[in-house]
Amino acid sequence: MAKLSKRHEGLVELLQQEKRRLWTEVRRDLFDKVGDKLAAEYNIPQDVGDHGLLDVLEDIGLAVADVRRQELTRIDGALRRLKEGSYGLCEDCGVEISLARLQVAPYAPCCLHCQTKREGPPASGPGRTL
């Protein structure tokens, strides 16, 4: 791994902690879901409406799992950029990403200005930028 600047030293631990937290949540949700589903299927009589509700809840769970997967992918990308020595530099313009932004979103690939351009103008209200 490239020698880290003082600026990035604390962020490495932040990335690793966030990755551990997300994997813990994914594992917990998966095992809780499997256990709950087995209990519901074999211990409680269900009608068609109950199955429909369980399907909706399962879809919501899958959406949450996908969000976590995307976050884990971003964290892996940030750790890869650390190894390459390009971590903390905007992928679009090459400017150094502010430390405040990296502390909030240590996996951010772009500076705030370029991220705003990537997302386009907000449909209404405040921006959606990380």
Side-chain angles (χ1 to χ4, degrees), residues 56-116:
V56 168
L57 293 174
E58 186 173 322
D59 289 346
I60 292 169
L62 290 173
V64 169
D66 190 51
V67 168
R68 289 188 179 127
R69 181 197 55 78
Q70 291 171 7
E71 288 181 60
L72 286 164
T73 300
R74 285 189 213 109
I75 290 170
D76 285 340
L79 291 169
R80 178 185 42 75
R81 289 190 304 277
L82 269 167
K83 288 180 184 175
E84 294 169 352
S86 63
Y87 178 75
L89 299 176
C90 178
E91 289 180 351
D92 293 351
C93 70
V95 170
E96 194 171 86
I97 300 170
S98 74
L99 184 58
R101 177 164 169 73
L102 290 173
Q103 288 172 332
V104 172
Y107 46 77
C110 300
C111 67
L112 190 57
H113 177 74
C114 290
Q115 185 68 38
T116 302

Side-chain angles (χ1 to χ4, degrees), residues 22-80:
L22 286 167
W23 273 115
T24 299
E25 286 181 14
V26 167
R27 281 193 291 274
R28 184 193 65 229
D29 289 349
L30 177 65
F31 292 126
D32 287 351
K33 184 178 179 85
V34 168
D36 290 346
K37 188 166 184 164
L38 285 174
E41 286 180 5
Y42 295 108
N43 296 331
I44 302 170
Q46 298 174 358
D47 63 18
V48 175
D50 291 339
H51 282 287
L53 179 59
L54 287 174
D55 288 343
V56 168
L57 293 174
E58 186 173 322
D59 289 346
I60 292 169
L62 290 173
V64 169
D66 190 51
V67 168
R68 289 188 179 127
R69 181 197 55 78
Q70 291 171 7
E71 288 181 60
L72 286 164
T73 300
R74 285 189 213 109
I75 290 170
D76 285 340
L79 291 169
R80 178 185 42 75

